[in-house]
């Protein structure tokens, strides 16, 4: 039976850093809910889809061909296109944050992740991964890092201003 480890926490707490390091050490597959929402954001920006058109966004997600990083590859491929570096741009993070608050899209992404992770030993980071995604995970961690988080968020705001 496959094992599940979840790492919850707000933006900037170090979830991804910890999750990637643990996944490498334990030889688990790493996954991030943020990567999925950023990949969807990539499609929305590319196709100029209105962020309020949730039904259309749901259709795009259902039809999106997504290849996620695994233990052998760090690539994120959306509809045949390597978007690994591009989706790290702040515009995708901002849009991902907006659309990830929609209940329908959250449910769709959770269903996708559960199916993807069904037969894998996996470490997943993101908000509410332990509470909503895998409530019966083998290990659930929650990170709180106010000082580091504040430093990271300040840095990201400054970087965002420079990029405008």
């Amino acid at each position: 039976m496959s094992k599940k480890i979840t790492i919850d926490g707000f933006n900037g707490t170090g979830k991804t850093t910890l999750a990637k390091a643990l996944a490498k050490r334990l030889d688990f597959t790493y996954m991030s809910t943020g990567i999925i929402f950023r990949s969807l954001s990539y499609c929305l920006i590319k196709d100029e889809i209105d962020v309020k058109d949730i039904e259309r966004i749901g259709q795009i997600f259902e039809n999106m061909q997504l290849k996620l990083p695994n233990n052998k590859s760090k690539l994120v491929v959306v509809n045949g296109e390597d978007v690994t570096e591009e989706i790290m741009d702040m515009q995708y993070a901002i849009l991902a944050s907006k659309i990830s608050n929609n209940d329908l899209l959250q449910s769709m992404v959770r269903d996708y992740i559960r199916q993807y992770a069904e037969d894998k030993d996996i470490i997943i980071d993101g908000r509410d991964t332990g509470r909503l995604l895998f409530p019966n995970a083998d290990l659930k961690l929650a990170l709180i890092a106010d000082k580091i988080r504040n430093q990271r968020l300040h840095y990201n705001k400054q970087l965002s201003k420079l990029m405008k």
Side-chain angles (χ1 to χ4, degrees):
M1 189 162 138
S2 61
K3 299 203 180 325
K4 310 290 183 256
I5 298 174
T6 63
I7 302 177
D8 287 314
F10 292 109
N11 294 344
T13 57
K15 296 181 306 291
T16 299
T17 302
L18 178 60
K20 285 180 177 179
L22 278 175
K24 184 175 183 178
R25 176 86 182 232
L26 299 173
D27 196 29
F28 277 35
T29 297
Y30 162 73
M31 178 183 256
S32 167
T33 59
I35 288 174
I36 296 170
F37 281 108
R38 283 173 181 248
S39 297
L40 179 56
S41 296
Y42 172 83
C43 293
L44 302 182
I45 289 172
K46 182 178 179 184
D47 295 340
E48 299 179 0
I49 303 298
D50 185 346
V51 71
K52 295 175 188 161
D53 191 351
I54 298 302
E55 185 176 316
R56 179 76 177 116
I57 295 170
Q59 292 170 347
I60 289 170
F61 181 72
E62 286 178 345
N63 294 314
M64 183 172 66
Q65 299 295 312
L66 183 60
K67 182 180 177 218
L68 296 167
N70 57 41
N71 295 353
K72 296 181 177 135
S73 170
K74 303 217 181 300
L75 296 179
V76 179
V77 179
V78 175
N79 299 328
E81 187 176 346
D82 178 358
V83 298
T84 310
E85 297 297 323
E86 187 162 359
I87 63 172
M88 292 300 121
D89 188 279
M90 211 50 175
Q91 68 177 331
Y92 301 106
I94 291 167
L95 184 55
S97 182
K98 288 179 185 175
I99 63 174
S100 69
N101 289 321
N102 180 275
D103 291 338
L104 174 65
L105 296 177
Q106 284 179 6
S107 177
M108 292 175 78
V109 168
R110 281 194 299 268
D111 289 346
Y112 173 85
I113 292 170
R114 284 185 192 114
Q115 183 178 13
Y116 176 84
E118 189 173 2
D119 61 348
K120 294 175 178 65
D121 290 330
I122 195 163
I123 296 178
I124 183 159
D125 75 69
R127 286 188 229 146
D128 292 323
T129 55
R131 187 173 65 86
L132 297 175
L133 185 59
F134 292 115
N136 297 319
D138 298 281
L139 177 64
K140 297 192 285 187
L141 303 172
L143 300 185
I144 301 169
D146 291 337
K147 183 177 179 181
I148 297 299
R149 179 174 187 259
N150 287 337
Q151 288 173 346
R152 287 181 176 184
L153 293 177
H154 175 74
Y155 170 75
N156 285 340
K157 284 180 187 176
Q158 296 303 317
L159 186 59
S160 180
K161 286 179 186 176
L162 290 173
M163 297 176 74
K164 286 185 180 181

